[in-house]
Amino acid sequence: AFFPITFYETLAKNLPDANFVDATEWVDQIKVLKSPEEIEWIRGTASLQDRAIEYLRKAIKPGMKDYEVIAEAKHFFLRGGSERQLIMVGSGPPGTAVHFLPYHLGNRFIQEGDQVTVLMETNGPGGYYAETMRCFMVGRKPSQELQDAHAIAVEIQAMTVDRLQPGADPKELWDLTNDFLSKKGYLPNLRLYAHGQGLSLVERPLIWHKEPWKLKAGMNIAVHPYAKALTQTVSACICDNWIIGETGPEACLHKTPKEIIVVG
């Protein structure tokens, strides 16, 4: 997404007669369509993330701090061959909307009865990214309010996946999702709720109202809807990856059940 200014200055100095053109669109169009080999690497990343969730199922306990959950996840991924990880964790008691916090603010102690939400956007041994998000409950079943919000996030994910067809318009998906959230009494999306992935953590197409592209077969799409109540008393999210095939989405790359995970 960037290169050092010294690199540009060296090129400009040593190639004074060269014409520099913006090839972003051309390069993006090439890299977002994944080869069979690339898809296998992405499947491997998704599998590693599934195993990370199982690892955290046993690791998350009362008394840990949010940043310690991040450290446990990073430890697992590094041992599994991942080189880069964006891992975010947020925790809170029932009746609060749990938010992801940066590592240096993750010093809250997790308590019995808390919700712990984990985002893991990492690459795998082949360097290709996938993304998963799950909600955990520590030592108790989730409240009905959280179950309802989680069901909304799962429903939005399913609605979107059904429409991951070659030729689909990201703006239509964005509008459909926001209409659904508003009608159900939840806050609309203000940022991406789905996007492409590959050698970059976030690739096009961006599933929002400003994306001019249409979807194509061969794209790897992460779908991560977020359901936050207007009352700010609950929030839930989920994320998994799909490859778009010639006739629609192929099977979900992640095998972890789409449910709230009770631990402890």
Side-chain angles (χ1 to χ4, degrees):
F2 66 91
F3 55 80
I5 186 63
T6 50
F7 177 65
Y8 164 75
E9 290 175 341
T10 299
L11 289 178
K13 178 180 178 180
N14 292 293
L15 301 172
D17 298 325
N19 292 320
F20 293 90
V21 297
D22 184 351
T24 302
E25 288 286 312
W26 177 67
V27 172
D28 281 354
Q29 291 277 4
I30 294 172
K31 76 176 188 178
V32 300
L33 303 180
K34 306 299 184 287
S35 68
E37 181 183 4
E38 289 176 303
I39 291 172
E40 286 306 307
W41 286 118
I42 295 167
R43 291 184 189 279
T45 301
S47 176
L48 180 63
Q49 292 174 346
D50 282 333
R51 298 196 300 276
I53 290 175
E54 289 305 307
Y55 178 81
L56 291 181
R57 187 192 294 268
K58 301 174 183 177
I60 296 174
K61 294 179 175 63
M64 296 179 71
K65 291 186 176 182
D66 290 355
Y67 76 81
E68 291 177 312
V69 178
I70 295 174
E72 288 286 346
K74 279 183 173 287
H75 173 73
F76 180 88
F77 278 108
L78 288 169
R79 292 189 64 181
S82 171
E83 294 181 347
R84 286 186 172 272
Q85 310 87 33
L86 172 60
I87 300 172
M88 303 184 76
V89 171
S91 67
T96 60
V98 172
H99 301 281
F100 295 121
L101 294 173
Y103 186 84
H104 64 282
L105 295 178
N107 57 355
R108 179 185 182 275
F109 280 106
I110 296 169
Q111 303 175 40
E112 187 85 12
D114 279 354
Q115 174 186 342
V116 181
T117 303
V118 181
L119 175 155
M120 296 184 286
E121 201 162 7
T122 71
N123 66 15
Y128 286 83
Y129 279 89
E131 179 180 0
T132 189
M133 284 194 290
R134 289 295 187 274
C135 297
F136 296 79
M137 284 297 300
V138 182
R140 59 170 287 177
K141 293 182 179 179
S143 66
Q144 188 59 53
E145 188 178 27
L146 178 56
Q147 291 182 57
D148 292 344
H150 187 265
I152 291 293
V154 171
E155 187 170 355
I156 291 172
Q157 188 185 65
M159 289 167 47
T160 300
V161 171
D162 286 345
R163 292 166 175 79
L164 293 182
Q165 306 283 342
D169 185 347
K171 182 180 184 304
E172 293 179 3
L173 296 177
W174 173 266
D175 291 341
L176 175 75
T177 301
N178 276 347
D179 288 345
F180 181 81
L181 283 167
S182 297
K183 289 176 181 177
K184 294 294 184 178
Y186 292 85
L187 293 169
N189 293 307
L190 298 177
R191 58 183 297 276
L192 302 179
Y193 85 96
H195 56 83
Q197 289 188 310
L199 284 173
S200 298
L201 185 146
V202 176
E203 281 185 355
R204 295 176 68 187
L206 310 178
I207 307 302
W208 72 329
H209 58 292
K210 295 183 180 180
E211 177 59 78
W213 287 9
K214 301 295 189 293
L215 302 187
K216 293 183 178 181
M219 292 177 171
N220 171 35
I221 306 293
V223 185
H224 53 73
Y226 204 90
K228 182 188 294 184
L230 294 172
T231 57
Q232 299 287 330
T233 56
V234 70
S235 61
C237 58
I238 189 167
C239 182
D240 300 282
N241 284 73
W242 280 264
I243 302 294
I244 301 179
E246 294 294 338
T247 59
E250 298 179 356
C252 182
L253 299 185
H254 292 93
K255 306 305 179 187
T256 301
K258 305 178 195 309
E259 60 190 23
I260 300 169
I261 302 169
V262 179
V263 300

